[in-house]
Amino acid sequence: MKKLFSLFVLAMMVLVLAACGGNEEAAEGSENEGEASGETKTIRAGIGLNDSHPQYLALLEWKKIVEEKTDGAIKVETYHSSQLGDDRAMTEALQLGSQEVTIPSTAPIANFVPEFSVFDFPFLFPNEEVADKVLDGEVGDKFLGMLEDQSLVGLAYWENGFRDVTNNERAIETASDFEGLKLRTMENDLHLDAFKALGANPTPMAFGELFTAMQQGTVDGQENPIPTIYLQGFYEVQDYVSTTHHIYSPFVFLMSKEFFDGLTEEQQTIVTEAAVEAGALNRKLNREAVAEYAEELKAEGMNYNDVTPEARAEMVEIVQPVLDEYAEKIGKETVQEVYDAVAEAEAELE
Ligand code: KDG
């Protein structure tokens, strides 16, 4: 009898130890938790543009790479056309951990990290090649590092593109043509102040509300890159498009820091490298599209005019005091670092 009882106690001890060991494995942190339990991690990725835009096509490529390279350990759900909210709301959702990825322009990011406004300095980047060099280099990395204090991780820079003005009043030939225009801008104080200096009457608005505002005449116009103007059907509610090219607008591929930190090192490398690879596709598709979509806008009946370098130079002069004011706010050294990186990139590309 005694022997039987000892065997029973021994068996119970073995069972209890096995159960504790299993819990310890799962408790070592989410990186093992997932593997131990084999659960799939789900990424909710939302953007403001629609499903025909190069940004969304590149996001689908990112999804494909990540799901393949993680053998399905990570599943990506993609949402377009502000289905998960506007840029600011989606960025806040990443901070709260209720969404994992969004890819806003740098302009709304400046509401979280003010230094990002420097990338929206009018006429900062002379062309895409210089923008790529600066953003993908040391300076760009330094700015991505600033996101971590906001519970965000910046994985890569993508391309929104050179912004042009559309409106229903007149062609923008010179700076004086901005006078009195009710112009929608992104939610960024620098954009507002720069267009006020040009004589416009700017109003900040989430991207998802813009089409209706133009349709109802709440605003006379807006400014966005040609691919967005065409693919979002702005030609249906706008008469004039003028290639001011006043800002080169980067996107930043943002991930929730809480979610990123919960990935294994291998998964962190996969999502980051995939963001760079899909970003290259985004830039390629965006740049290939501009000339074609410009022709499409003319075919849709828009009055299309190219703004001359002289007119742009006049606009630069007018907005310069605004840039000097923001350089003080952001930090003159930080702004100078970006200017130096632009000059260095231009010299290297000559
Ligand atoms: O999701 C990206 C959009 O929000 C982007 O197009 C932002 O350029 C933008 C705008 O004008 O709001």
Side-chain angles (χ1 to χ4, degrees):
M1 192 60 175
K2 272 189 181 174
K3 270 188 184 170
L4 202 58
F5 181 71
S6 307
L7 278 173
F8 173 75
V9 169
L10 188 62
M12 289 310 292
M13 281 172 67
V14 169
L15 282 174
V16 165
L17 282 173
C20 286
N23 288 340
E24 271 164 26
E25 253 177 53
E28 271 166 24
S30 55
E31 61 180 278
N32 294 324
E33 192 173 354
E35 285 166 5
S37 62
E39 72 188 21
T40 302
K41 294 170 188 162
T42 299
I43 289 177
R44 293 156 292 188
I47 63 169
L49 292 165
N50 66 26
D51 55 356
S52 61
H53 196 283
Q55 184 189 39
Y56 188 72
L57 303 181
L59 178 58
L60 291 178
E61 178 65 15
W62 183 78
K63 166 188 167 75
K64 178 170 171 289
I65 298 168
V66 167
E67 289 180 345
E68 279 176 4
K69 290 198 171 179
T70 62
D71 295 327
I74 294 180
K75 181 176 172 299
V76 180
E77 296 171 357
T78 58
Y79 299 89
H80 57 82
S81 307
S82 303
Q83 292 167 315
L84 297 184
D86 60 34
D87 289 333
R88 184 194 288 253
M90 289 194 279
T91 304
E92 285 165 352
L94 264 57
Q95 291 179 308
L96 297 168
S98 56
Q99 183 179 331
E100 289 69 40
V101 162
T102 190
I103 317 172
S105 300
T106 48
I109 292 176
N111 295 298
F112 300 87
V113 181
E115 289 82 354
F116 269 79
S117 262
V118 68
F119 292 129
D120 285 81
F121 274 23
F123 308 105
L124 171 71
F125 293 119
N127 53 55
E128 290 99 345
E129 292 71 27
V130 169
D132 292 353
K133 254 189 176 304
V134 173
L135 294 170
D136 297 346
E138 269 178 46
V139 164
D141 282 346
K142 181 177 176 181
F143 277 77
L144 293 182
M146 295 175 192
L147 292 161
E148 305 222 345
D149 286 347
Q150 292 298 318
S151 306
L152 300 167
V153 177
L155 299 187
Y157 291 94
W158 285 18
E159 177 172 281
N160 194 353
F162 277 101
R163 304 180 77 86
D164 297 317
V165 176
T166 68
N167 79 91
N168 284 331
E169 296 301 316
R170 63 187 84 96
I172 305 291
E173 305 276 2
T174 65
S176 62
D177 293 320
F178 280 107
E179 190 57 39
L181 270 188
K182 288 185 294 181
L183 209 57
R184 174 270 178 182
T185 71
M186 289 191 279
E187 292 165 302
N188 174 291
D189 291 342
L190 171 62
H191 281 238
L192 284 171
D193 292 343
F195 280 109
K196 277 179 195 160
L198 287 165
N201 175 14
T203 180
M205 185 185 294
F207 184 75
E209 298 162 21
L210 175 54
F211 189 91
T212 306
M214 294 187 289
Q215 200 171 34
Q216 295 177 347
T218 314
V219 293
D220 298 323
Q222 62 84 45
E223 43 85 54
N224 250 291
I226 292 290
T228 298
I229 295 168
Y230 176 67
L231 293 169
Q232 300 283 156
F234 289 177
Y235 52 82
E236 294 170 17
V237 290
Q238 294 278 270
D239 298 331
Y240 298 91
V241 53
S242 308
T243 60
T244 48
H245 268 36
H246 52 279
I247 289 173
Y248 173 85
S249 193
F251 285 136
V252 181
F253 193 109
L254 296 178
M255 183 171 277
S256 157
K257 187 175 186 310
E258 177 191 340
F259 181 81
F260 184 81
D261 290 346
L263 298 175
T264 64
E265 270 187 45
E266 184 194 11
Q267 290 170 338
Q268 290 177 349
T269 303
I270 288 170
V271 297
T272 305
E273 291 180 351
V276 173
E277 188 177 340
L281 174 67
N282 157 250
R283 286 171 173 173
K284 179 175 178 291
L285 294 176
N286 221 44
R287 291 166 193 175
E288 285 171 353
V290 171
E292 176 199 343
Y293 292 158
E295 290 311 309
E296 292 292 346
L297 291 174
K298 293 173 190 170
E300 291 292 348
M302 287 197 84
N303 298 287
Y304 182 104
N305 73 288
D306 280 316
V307 175
T308 65
E310 295 74 22
R312 284 205 192 102
E314 180 199 16
M315 294 173 195
V316 172
E317 207 175 312
I318 291 168
V319 301
Q320 193 56 50
V322 174
L323 306 190
D324 295 342
E325 179 199 330
Y326 275 81
E328 289 288 341
K329 286 181 186 174
I330 293 168
K332 282 187 163 180
E333 278 179 28
T334 302
V335 171
Q336 192 55 53
E337 207 175 338
V338 176
Y339 280 139
D340 292 347
V342 169
E344 198 178 311
E346 283 187 289
E348 285 171 13
L349 288 164
E350 263 173 10

